[in-house]
Amino acid sequence: MSELQTEIETKAKTSPGRLARAWDSDLAYSFRNNPVAMVSAFVVSLLILAAIFAPLIAPHDPFNPATLNLMNGFTPPGQANQFTQEYFLLGTDDQGRDVFSTILYGMRISLFVGFAAVMLALVIGVLLGLLAGYLGGWVETIIMRIADIQLTFPAILVAMLIFGIAKGITPPEYRDQMAIWVLILAIGLSDWVQFARVVRGATLVEKNREYVQAARLIGRSPFSIMVRHILPNVLNPVLVIATISLALAIIAEATLSFLGVGAPPTKPSLGTLIRIGQEFMFSGEWWILFFPAVTLLALALSINLLGDWLRDALNPKLR
Amino acid sequence: MLAYIIRRVAQSVLVLLVTGFVAFSMFSFVGDPIDNMLGQERTQADVERLRTQLGLDQPFPVQYYKFLEQAVQGNFGLSYRQGRPVSEILVERLPATLELAAVSGLLALAGGIGFGIFTAIRRRGPSASTIMTLSLIGVSLPTFLIGILLIYLFSVELGWLPSFGRGQVVDLGWWSTGFLTESGLKALILPAITLGLYQMTLIMRLVRTEMLEVLRMDYIRFARARGIREKSINFRHALKNTLVPVITITGLQLGSIIAFAIITETVFQWPGVGLLFINAIQFVDIPVMAAYLMMISVMFVGINLIVDMLYFAIDPRLRVDRTAGGH
């Protein structure tokens, strides 16, 4: 036992550090040799950083009425306002809010809802998938039947329905406040099936492997076998689905908000901004619509491309 | 075969029972119907009387059964917002959605199969790769952005087509159609493209992959060796075997066309059931939401069932495999 311990310790000392090992891994190698993945990773990180540091970057606080000047309304991008001579990079909307700043804050809400909804779907899906795959029997039948029934309907429809029901349950005075959380709940619950199906499939394969039998023999509880032994081995496909789900969740959030059943105008996400901008499309103020739409597209497209790369890179068959 | 059909039908009934249960729970848990019907000045006796009258004092399973009985007859009560029977509103709105869905479905099918064959045959041609790249963008664009883009191009900039509404409609009995007037047809173009584009790219990619697969098979090579004309090989030999998965996928997509119509109808203010549903969510109009849910689940389940049956009818190998116990 102590011999093994020293061997491990010496190995840990001689082997390169964590960072260097990560740099040499297959995944990093395939990343360095894929320009599309690198560009999309760059765009995604740029947008995420911009969203996180929005209060520092944004030249104006679009939600503080004290700093708004209605005279600044409808300033075209890249020009000084004709009354106040103030300058706005991407122009302003009807109320004189700086479009660049509203996009930064809107992206924050879009990304937050997207990440939180995927996390919710992931936790529910992985847990139910593990239970269904490992326990089998009636637990599996019930979980997978529910998944089948939900899969009969498109996710966006399920999300709309959950949003509608949750809205009905919350008292009217809290509805705007709760809208973000209701959105997360609706999108998260509409998307867990994917995770559950994949994890169940992988668990069915893993549970007959020798290491699981060994763990069972030494008397570990089913729960700790599922979480400590099987879970780490089924995480690869979960990661891929999570990335693609993130793009889908961001688009779903934008769609719901665009339809007016999502983020309220007091806390606009990218979808809400596009909804607002659409009203001014006919009168020629194109920038109020155009820039949020391009941001949404860049975000969704680069996350999608990143997901595609990850799927290929983690697939052992393609190596 | 028979056992399979029975199992599928049982599963469909289960789906309908579950969605019925969801719809029923919406009535019972989202807002008290008594609150909605009685005003501020009410006595406890009033409440009790109405409760008995509506059958709300009965046990839960009995209420659920009564709800299903009413739902089967298409009775979902009055809309909270419009004060009219929900079934009446739905019937009034349904033709608009069905006409839109049918045209987009046809568009997606025709365009998808056409472009799919083209890109498979001219695999290395420049026009085929252009179409493939465009289809990638089409898949990534959210539906509502496609709609806005089309409105901007064809309504705002060019002024060729209307940006909202259904144009003039002609009443044929209870069915109002936009097919018979010029403004009705013009109004249909943009929404139909918006709704059909995503499905079209999906079908196109599917046809292309299947076609490429089939073109590699031995019988195609032999047909070529026998000197049969290229056109005849592509369309008579290869296409037939490509169409089996296409039909099933298209059938399943029909359901999502009806669901995605909600988005398209909102962008174009198309007076169909989708727009009705979105407005119902905004105003928490429970009877309309529940009725829409039931209606759409009957459609989905029906479509899925028909597609499954069709699969058996089209592909004789499935029938043989089942009876022989597979291999």
Side-chain angles (χ1 to χ4, degrees):
Chain A
M1 192 66 191
S2 63
E3 228 169 60
L4 190 70
Q5 201 95 41
T6 43
E7 198 189 311
I8 291 171
E9 272 168 19
T10 43
K11 234 186 198 157
K13 267 176 208 153
T14 49
S15 66
R18 248 167 199 271
L19 260 179
R21 256 184 301 156
W23 179 253
D24 277 335
S25 69
D26 290 344
L27 201 61
Y29 177 81
S30 117
F31 182 72
R32 272 178 282 146
N33 285 289
N34 190 331
V36 175
M38 273 169 34
V39 171
S40 9
F42 175 73
V43 173
V44 173
S45 2
L46 195 74
L47 291 175
I48 290 178
L49 285 177
I52 292 174
F53 295 108
L56 299 177
I57 303 170
H60 302 264
D61 182 356
F63 306 112
N64 182 359
T67 64
L68 291 182
N69 183 353
L70 273 180
M71 294 288 270
N72 281 329
F74 298 129
T75 312
Q79 294 173 27
N81 183 281
Q82 48 176 328
F83 306 111
T84 59
Q85 300 305 320
E86 274 188 80
Y87 177 85
F88 299 93
L89 183 63
L90 301 181
T92 61
D93 67 1
D94 56 327
Q95 296 171 40
R97 291 189 293 203
D98 176 36
V99 170
F100 180 57
S101 306
T102 52
I103 288 178
L104 286 177
Y105 280 95
M107 211 158 59
R108 252 184 153 192
I109 292 173
S110 289
L111 277 167
F112 175 68
V113 171
F115 271 111
V118 170
M119 279 316 288
L120 181 66
L122 190 146
V123 169
I124 297 174
V126 168
L127 210 69
L128 291 181
L130 276 175
L131 285 174
Y134 190 75
L135 297 180
W138 59 270
V139 177
E140 185 181 21
T141 312
I142 290 179
I143 292 175
M144 294 330 280
R145 216 9 73 79
I146 294 174
D148 281 345
I149 291 175
Q150 186 170 329
L151 220 55
T152 318
F153 303 94
I156 189 89
L157 189 69
V158 177
M160 280 177 197
L161 204 69
I162 296 172
F163 187 90
I165 295 173
K167 192 177 175 184
I169 294 172
T170 36
E173 58 269 29
Y174 294 114
R175 274 179 193 162
D176 270 11
Q177 252 177 303
M178 296 295 289
I180 301 289
W181 301 103
V182 170
L183 260 180
I184 293 171
L185 188 78
I187 298 172
L189 286 183
S190 71
D191 201 35
W192 63 275
V193 177
Q194 297 277 355
F195 291 97
R197 289 193 140 199
V198 166
V199 169
R200 171 181 163 268
T203 307
L204 283 177
V205 176
E206 293 295 326
K207 81 170 177 188
N208 293 321
R209 293 267 164 87
E210 279 173 356
Y211 72 89
V212 175
Q213 284 171 358
R216 213 180 288 159
L217 268 179
I218 60 170
R220 298 208 77 158
S221 71
F223 180 76
S224 80
I225 292 177
M226 272 185 257
V227 175
R228 299 286 299 275
H229 298 276
I230 297 181
L231 185 60
N233 288 304
V234 299
L235 274 185
N236 267 2
V238 169
L239 194 64
V240 174
I241 297 178
T243 320
I244 292 170
S245 289
L246 180 62
L248 289 179
I250 288 173
I251 288 182
E253 186 279 328
T255 305
L256 290 179
S257 296
F258 174 78
L259 297 178
V261 290
T266 46
K267 271 188 197 163
S269 71
L270 289 176
T272 321
L273 292 178
I274 293 170
R275 176 187 175 83
I276 296 170
Q278 196 204 8
E279 293 166 25
F280 303 108
M281 183 170 66
F282 296 97
S283 46
E285 284 91 16
W286 53 272
W287 59 90
I288 307 174
L289 168 72
F290 179 75
F291 293 116
V294 168
T295 314
L296 173 69
L297 214 61
L299 195 62
L301 192 64
S302 44
I303 295 176
N304 249 335
L305 289 172
L306 213 55
D308 276 355
W309 160 75
L310 203 61
R311 186 184 53 204
D312 292 347
L314 291 179
N315 188 349
K317 278 186 206 148
L318 291 178
R319 272 198 200 132
Chain B
M1 170 91 185
L2 191 68
Y4 176 78
I5 291 177
I6 291 171
R7 210 169 51 231
R8 287 293 295 123
V9 171
Q11 208 176 340
S12 311
V13 171
L14 183 73
V15 172
L16 286 181
L17 282 178
V18 171
T19 42
F21 184 74
V22 171
F24 170 66
S25 316
M26 276 159 61
F27 274 108
S28 335
F29 299 122
V30 184
D32 189 351
I34 305 276
D35 271 345
N36 287 311
M37 297 169 106
L38 288 180
Q40 289 289 326
E41 291 135 31
R42 58 184 185 195
T43 59
Q44 193 56 34
D46 280 343
V47 173
E48 288 306 322
R49 195 163 39 82
L50 195 60
R51 204 172 278 281
T52 331
Q53 208 179 336
L54 291 174
L56 292 175
D57 56 343
Q58 282 165 330
F60 193 75
V62 176
Q63 284 191 42
Y64 178 43
Y65 175 75
K66 288 216 161 131
F67 169 81
L68 284 181
E69 210 177 56
Q70 292 290 314
V72 168
Q73 294 165 25
N75 188 359
F76 287 92
L78 301 177
S79 156
Y80 291 168
R81 193 164 151 249
Q82 302 189 28
R84 292 164 52 206
V86 175
S87 49
E88 200 180 297
I89 304 174
L90 275 182
V91 167
E92 196 179 282
R93 295 279 200 120
L94 200 56
T97 299
L98 289 182
E99 283 186 358
L100 177 62
V103 173
S104 337
L106 280 177
L107 192 78
L109 201 61
I113 292 179
F115 284 127
I117 295 172
F118 180 80
T119 45
I121 295 175
R122 302 263 166 84
R123 188 151 48 117
R124 299 184 210 290
S127 45
S129 44
T130 315
I131 294 173
M132 286 304 288
T133 318
L134 281 179
S135 81
L136 243 187
I137 299 173
V139 171
S140 318
L141 268 174
T143 312
F144 68 96
L145 277 185
I146 295 177
I148 292 176
L149 196 72
L150 288 176
I151 291 180
Y152 183 75
L153 264 179
F154 293 101
S155 304
V156 179
E157 285 296 310
L158 297 170
W160 290 351
L161 297 166
S163 63
F164 68 92
R166 226 187 140 191
Q168 256 188 324
V169 291
V170 178
D171 287 329
L172 304 172
W174 59 274
W175 184 282
S176 67
T177 179
F179 286 151
L180 298 176
T181 60
E182 198 196 325
S183 68
L185 287 174
K186 265 188 167 175
L188 188 62
I189 297 175
L190 291 185
I193 293 176
T194 307
L195 187 53
L197 205 61
Y198 180 78
Q199 322 291 337
M200 187 168 94
T201 47
L202 221 73
I203 294 174
M204 179 195 122
R205 298 183 142 249
L206 184 76
V207 169
R208 178 177 176 273
T209 333
E210 287 291 327
M211 190 92 174
L212 287 176
E213 201 113 298
V214 170
L215 282 176
R216 267 200 293 270
M217 285 177 134
D218 281 344
Y219 78 93
I220 296 289
R221 228 184 279 165
F222 277 110
R224 231 173 241 149
R226 277 170 58 196
I228 296 174
R229 278 182 308 134
E230 203 54 31
K231 207 174 180 179
S232 164
I233 293 175
N234 285 336
F235 289 94
R236 298 212 22 212
H237 294 80
L239 186 61
K240 253 188 207 164
N241 282 313
T242 314
L243 288 183
V244 178
V246 173
I247 287 170
T248 49
I249 297 282
T250 312
L252 296 177
Q253 289 299 318
L254 211 62
S256 46
I257 282 187
I258 292 169
F260 277 97
I262 299 172
I263 301 167
T264 310
E265 284 179 11
T266 311
V267 176
F268 290 94
Q269 291 297 305
W270 187 264
V273 283
L275 191 59
L276 183 75
F277 178 62
I278 277 293
N279 291 336
I281 293 181
Q282 278 161 351
F283 295 99
V284 198
D285 194 344
I286 298 293
V288 175
M289 278 165 70
Y292 181 82
L293 175 67
M294 284 313 286
M295 187 190 78
I296 210 162
S297 51
V298 168
M299 280 186 190
F300 277 22
V301 166
I303 289 169
N304 282 3
L305 203 60
I306 292 170
V307 167
D308 275 359
M309 305 285 145
L310 221 56
Y311 211 40
F312 262 96
I314 293 171
D315 197 341
R317 281 171 302 182
L318 274 178
R319 276 172 281 176
V320 176
D321 279 358
R322 286 273 166 184
T323 45
H327 42 199

